[in-house]
């Protein structure tokens, strides 16, 4: 348990939590009727399997609760533990009829919780037609960020070299979306270029947690499948690769835009080299998730990123519903480097934890946490993982 004592979002007394911003939350609909064939079904099943490995709980999410993020679930699992959350979209239209974590559904979730959720838009760097009118969309929908990722399939390689992409991002920044997320999306399996610790909890043969099994009556054709014959690929869909050279070129050309890259989108050494660019930030979601299963390599990566970027350019995220944020907040508040790493990196003090948990994300996305409040779901004054 972590004792919380808040007044207008600021901690009081020793052991109090600073204001918390979850910079990676997905409101998705992966129910059978939205799955566009076996690929969508497989993607959801593999995400559920990874959730059960990295978010152990005496009350794990059921398959039905995991497949759809409702306003009630968001309030119980996320907004009970954090002050603000950033909704990160991911359409994956080849896998889902109406989109997986669609911006339209995010807008409905935000309307249910006014003032608590920050909206991000979606931009496919391989589809120029979708980028038309981006400035108008940013203003109309109140977007504070854009997520650059493939719109159709998650395993598509991500190229940031298109000349029109820079002009589009400039228009979006002028309209109010001055943050660009890269390598931040729900993934059942990290790319092969990701560091070793990023593969904690991925689907693999011999895992302790069994894969979800559909009932026998659903094997030939599961309800909602768009294909008459069920075909399963050899393995789960991997994440699309990100070339850090492209990120560096884009960040250098657009210094007014703040680029937020996922900690698992590239090897840690490559991310450390990006730290020379002052407008590049790192979202720690996958690293924080891996701290329990791959403690030493993940802690070493955290220390290296802290040394390179400083706490003012690193931010907290949970990837919900992959992991519920309360447990990650507790882990970060109590984190100490393993004995093998003692002396190599300074321990995290209160100021560093405050920056990681909320201060950096609030500054990057441009909102004020001075009067933010959190109402824990348990008894008053106590925040416990759900």
């Amino acid at each position: 348990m972590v004792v919380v004592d808040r007044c207008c979002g600021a901690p009081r007394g020793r052991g109090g939590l600073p204001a918390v911003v979850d910079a990676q939350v997905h409101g998705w609909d992966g129910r059978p009727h939205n799955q566009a064939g076996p690929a969508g079904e497989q993607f959801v099943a593999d995400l559920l399997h990874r959730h059960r490995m990295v978010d152990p709980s005496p009350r794990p999410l059921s398959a039905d609760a995991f497949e759809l993020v409702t306003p009630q679930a968001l309030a119980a699992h996320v907004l009970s533990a954090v002050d603000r959350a950033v909704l990160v979209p991911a359409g994956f239209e080849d896998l889902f009829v109406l989109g997986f974590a669609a911006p339209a559904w995010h807008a409905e979730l935000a309307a249910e919780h006014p003032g608590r959720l920050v909206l991000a838009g979606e931009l496919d760097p391989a589809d120029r037609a979708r980028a038309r009118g981006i400035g108008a969309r940013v203003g109309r929908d109140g977007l504070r960020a854009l997520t650059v990722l493939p719109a159709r399939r998650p395993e598509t390689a991500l190229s940031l070299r298109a000349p029109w992409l820079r002009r589009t991002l400039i228009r979006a920044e002028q309209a109010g979306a001055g943050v660009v997320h890269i390598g931040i999306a729900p993934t059942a399996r990290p790319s092969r270029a990701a560091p070793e610790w990023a593969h904690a909890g991925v689907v693999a043969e011999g895992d302790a947690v069994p894969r979800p099994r559909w009932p026998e009556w659903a094997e030939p054709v599961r309800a909602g499948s768009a294909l008459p014959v069920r075909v399963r690929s050899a393995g789960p869909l991997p994440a699309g690769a990100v070339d850090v050279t492209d990120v560096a070129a884009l960040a250098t050309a657009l210094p007014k835009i703040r680029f937020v890259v996922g900690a698992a989108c590239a090897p840690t050494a490559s991310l450390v080299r990006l730290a020379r660019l002052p407008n590049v930030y790192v979202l720690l979601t996958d690293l924080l998730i891996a701290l329990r299963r791959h403690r030493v390599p993940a802690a070493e990566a955290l220390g290296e990123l802290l040394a390179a970027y400083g706490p003012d350019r690193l931010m907290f995220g949970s990837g919900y519903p992959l992991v519920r944020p309360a447990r990650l907040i507790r882990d970060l508040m109590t984190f100490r480097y393993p004995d093998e790493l003692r002396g190599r990196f300074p321990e995290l003090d209160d100021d560093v934890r405050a920056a990681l948990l909320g201060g950096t994300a609030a500054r990057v996305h441009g909102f004020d946490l001075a009067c933010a409040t959190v109402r824990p779901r348990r008894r008053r004054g106590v925040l416990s993982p759900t």
Side-chain angles (χ1 to χ4, degrees):
M1 291 189 301
V2 177
V3 178
V4 179
D5 188 2
R6 295 179 182 271
C7 179
C8 292
R12 278 189 165 188
R14 301 178 65 180
L17 272 179
V20 181
V21 177
D22 191 333
Q24 185 182 357
V25 171
H26 308 287
W28 65 46
D29 184 354
R31 291 174 295 179
H33 74 270
N34 195 30
Q35 297 167 3
E41 174 189 354
Q42 177 183 340
F43 185 71
V44 174
D46 291 338
L47 276 175
L48 176 59
H49 178 258
R50 190 179 182 204
H51 159 74
R52 289 176 176 172
M53 294 192 68
V54 301
D55 188 14
S57 169
R59 292 174 297 166
L61 293 178
S62 66
D64 290 341
F66 185 79
E67 287 177 350
L68 176 67
V69 177
T70 64
Q72 295 76 23
L74 202 62
H77 299 150
V78 177
L79 299 181
S80 64
V82 308
D83 296 273
R84 296 282 188 92
V86 180
L87 291 174
V88 179
F92 301 153
E93 294 172 3
D94 281 359
L95 278 61
F96 300 94
V97 178
L98 301 176
F100 187 46
W105 178 232
H106 283 181
E108 293 187 26
L109 291 173
E112 293 287 335
H113 302 288
R116 302 293 301 280
L117 300 173
V118 178
L119 293 175
E122 186 176 7
L123 179 64
D124 186 345
D127 193 338
R128 186 174 184 177
R130 292 172 182 261
R132 294 193 180 113
I134 189 69
R137 289 204 303 273
V138 168
R140 181 187 67 237
D141 300 335
L143 306 179
R144 291 181 182 266
L146 290 179
T147 300
V148 178
L149 79 168
R152 304 187 69 86
R153 300 184 66 85
E155 74 274 21
T156 305
L158 192 66
S159 174
L160 306 175
R161 299 176 184 176
W164 60 266
L165 181 60
R166 296 184 183 184
R167 298 191 296 269
T168 299
L169 294 179
I170 290 173
R171 289 196 295 270
E173 187 270 334
Q174 292 172 344
V179 181
V180 174
H181 299 152
I182 299 176
I184 297 170
T187 55
R189 177 185 289 274
S191 68
R192 293 181 179 179
E196 176 188 356
W197 52 261
H199 294 267
V202 299
V203 181
E205 295 298 329
D207 280 336
V209 178
R211 294 187 52 155
R213 297 293 182 184
W214 307 124
E216 291 183 2
W217 58 264
E219 281 300 323
V221 180
R222 191 176 181 215
S225 175
L227 299 181
V229 178
R230 189 163 182 260
V231 180
R232 188 176 182 87
S233 60
L237 294 170
V242 175
D243 188 340
V244 294
T245 304
D246 290 356
V247 178
L250 205 57
T252 301
L254 305 174
K256 292 184 179 180
I257 296 177
R258 298 172 294 279
F259 292 89
V260 181
V261 297
C265 75
T268 302
S270 299
L271 293 182
V272 167
R273 288 193 292 271
L274 280 179
R276 62 182 176 80
L277 300 169
N279 58 331
V280 175
Y281 301 76
V282 176
L283 181 60
L284 300 175
T285 301
D286 292 276
L287 195 154
L288 296 176
I289 291 173
L291 274 177
R292 286 197 176 190
R293 293 175 65 89
H294 290 188
R295 179 167 175 76
V296 174
E300 183 177 20
L302 177 59
E304 291 175 354
L305 290 174
L306 270 171
Y309 287 86
D312 292 333
R313 289 200 285 154
L314 302 179
M315 60 186 74
F316 169 85
S318 69
Y320 176 84
L322 188 63
V323 175
R324 287 163 280 192
R327 195 209 82 187
L328 295 182
I329 295 170
R330 181 186 64 188
D331 288 351
L332 190 55
M333 289 297 295
T334 59
F335 173 78
R336 296 290 184 274
Y337 288 104
D339 293 340
E340 301 93 313
L341 303 178
R342 292 284 169 83
R344 285 185 56 185
F345 309 105
E347 294 290 347
L348 279 62
D349 59 23
D350 291 343
D351 291 338
V352 171
R353 297 180 204 275
L356 297 182
L357 283 172
T360 301
R363 177 170 47 83
V364 168
H365 292 90
F367 54 81
D368 186 9
L369 285 173
C371 294
T373 59
V374 166
R375 297 182 181 181
R377 196 169 62 141
R378 303 295 185 189
R379 60 186 183 276
R380 176 173 292 182
V382 174
L383 175 64
S384 59
T386 55

